[in-house]
Amino acid sequence: MPNLVVIGTQWGDEGKGKIVDLLAAQVAAVVRFQGGHNAGHTVSVGGEEYKLRLIPSGILHPGTICMLGNGVVLDLEELCAEIDALVARGVDVGPERLRISRKCHLILPYHRLLDKARENFKGDGKIGTTGRGIGPCYEDKAGRCGVRVCDLEDMDLVRRKIRLALDEKNVLLAGLYSQKPLTEREVLERIEGSAARIQPYLADISEEMARVEGAGGEILFEGAQGSHLDIDHGTYPFVTSSSTVAGNAAAGSGIGPDHLHRVLGVVKAYTTRVGSGAMPTEQAGEIGGHLQKKGAEFGTVTGRPRRCGWLDLVILRESVRLSGVNSLAVTKLDVLSGLPELKICVAYNYRGRVVEYPPQAEGGLGESVPVYETLGGWTRSLDGIRSFAELPAAARDYVRRLEELAERPVSMVSVGPERDRTIMR
Ligand code: GDP
Ligand code: IMO
Ligand code: MG
């Protein structure tokens, strides 16, 4: 298998974790290249559920090395808690299995406080962030005042940076958001314990990937969030603060773009979204209820119910173009069983015109009215189905129509959370 980038093509929670876990057995390394513990990737193995936030979904395969690239933002306490929880369940998460870039930026207590305070302040206009400090941490990275993992080797430097940051953040926290200002000690306490602990995990990820490739190993890049939460290409401002498209797998880990050989787009058989922002195919009534309940659509990180609706080919087509998707993995097809008819959004009516790509004006998606195509449903459960031919005819037609409209082949179909509930084509 050549190097592969796996990305979400919708608004996150497409089932990237399940797909990455499945493919991880065939690669030497799985690398995260953006995001932080705003991600929640659920992997089901042998009846056990693992909820991964920062640690790549390759960790359940003992022979696979997992890496966090420079594009990831790191909350040290959360990372240590995730390591401990996995170790308690018998998973080896030693420094020979988990490698962390020294260039990762740290999420600090003031990032979390600012994230939450800003959201409260915005009221109805809030983004609906996960409250994990992701946005404020990336702001400091771009503002060139962030604290990086490599700084932990020089605590005097860390102290200087934190002091300078607090001069500014405390004005905001206390003056604008009526929060208690933070002291330097409070911030340091949250990192000192874990700083020593993660030292053995630190690495030059770019160099380590070159070594993996040099030994003939293949690399899988695991995306977090989805293409329409991308900071540039998503439904701005209702997006996350990192670049989620496949191209960032190169910059976010330190590998040349020519090493990103193939791109697999993960697409849920319907659409979900957590947080604010437009979602043209959202279904509030019975259909939404069916998808929400049968698909168990609750956020992994925050437990919020996910908004649910029909499959949207307009946003999928754009994701295919933005990331150069070569093939698709369709997940949660089983959730559609029992719906008498199925709809696919093939275009939007937007300001009196029919458009095939999302409008780019802020709020444009909110003005877009879906144009639907209706397909037949199926009643049979998909339990136990292991080949494409065994699927009900209407389910095969649904996947084939998706392929036609996306102009990309569907190479995998997932019909349940477990590894063996996957059809390889
Ligand atoms: P990710 O963030 O893209 O990794 O997706 P999440 O893990 O947040 O959400 C996907 C959820 O659907 C998880 O709970 C998975 O266990 C589950 N899942 C994945 N594939 C399937 C499938 O084919 N059918 C069903 N019913 N559940 C699935
Ligand atoms: P995975 O990797 C779904 C959403 C939040 C919010 C917006 C900004 O599991 O697919 P942030 O905390 O990132 O500043 O929030 O992005 N969001 C996700 N939605 N899945 C995710 O990750 C998400 N990560 C962030 O709900 O709307
Ligand atoms: Mg998720």
Side-chain angles (χ1 to χ4, degrees), residues 186-365:
E186 282 171 314
V187 178
L188 282 169
E189 270 166 9
R190 304 297 289 269
I191 49 177
E192 276 167 351
S194 9
R197 223 189 126 184
I198 68 148
Q199 283 301 330
Y201 292 93
L202 305 188
D204 178 337
I205 295 299
S206 176
E207 189 200 2
E208 295 214 354
M209 286 191 298
R211 247 190 278 144
V212 165
E213 288 186 310
E218 282 146 351
I219 302 174
L220 192 161
F221 297 88
E222 176 181 17
Q225 289 79 52
S227 310
H228 291 268
L229 288 172
D230 180 275
I231 182 76
D232 288 292
H233 301 291
T235 41
Y236 194 87
F238 301 103
V239 294
T240 191
S241 299
S242 64
S243 170
T244 61
V245 295
N248 190 36
S253 68
I255 203 165
D258 57 327
H259 291 242
L260 310 178
H261 303 129
R262 307 273 308 165
V263 181
L264 176 68
V266 185
V267 54
K268 200 181 284 193
Y270 49 96
T271 307
T272 62
R273 179 163 197 176
V274 208
S276 321
M279 176 179 156
T281 64
E282 184 169 8
Q283 299 295 307
E286 210 177 302
I287 304 295
H290 171 105
L291 299 171
Q292 224 259 321
K293 199 159 164 233
K294 194 151 183 211
E297 295 295 355
F298 289 93
T300 315
V301 177
T302 54
R304 291 176 289 179
R306 296 173 183 151
R307 301 153 62 192
C308 298
W310 296 120
L311 180 62
D312 187 338
L313 252 296
V314 180
I315 71 143
L316 176 60
R317 255 194 311 258
E318 186 172 63
S319 301
V320 164
R321 170 159 48 66
L322 291 171
S323 280
V325 168
N326 301 108
S327 62
L328 293 163
V330 176
T331 60
K332 303 189 95 160
L333 190 66
D334 53 303
V335 175
L336 298 182
S337 299
L339 288 171
E341 61 178 30
L342 304 171
K343 291 190 179 185
I344 298 182
C345 168
V346 293
Y348 297 146
N349 269 312
Y350 174 67
R351 298 187 183 171
R353 285 182 300 127
V354 174
V355 297
E356 297 207 330
Y357 289 104
Q360 299 197 334
E362 186 166 316
L365 205 63

Side-chain angles (χ1 to χ4, degrees), residues 12-17 38-42 52 225 298-301 306:
D13 304 324
E14 296 89 349
K16 299 174 290 291
N38 49 346
H41 301 169
T42 303
L52 301 164
Q225 289 79 52
F298 289 93
T300 315
V301 177
R306 296 173 183 151

Side-chain angles (χ1 to χ4, degrees), residues 20 23-24 27-32 56-59 64-68 218-222:
V20 168
L23 298 173
V27 297
V30 178
V31 181
R32 276 273 307 266
S57 306
I59 201 74
T64 307
I65 298 172
C66 290
M67 303 190 191
L68 299 180
E218 282 146 351
I219 302 174
L220 192 161
F221 297 88
E222 176 181 17

Side-chain angles (χ1 to χ4, degrees), residues 361-393:
E362 186 166 316
L365 205 63
E367 291 177 50
S368 301
V369 180
V371 176
Y372 287 115
E373 202 173 278
T374 304
L375 283 84
W378 61 90
T379 48
R380 242 171 72 202
S381 147
L382 304 187
D383 276 0
I385 290 183
R386 299 287 177 272
S387 72
F388 195 71
E390 287 171 72
L391 284 172

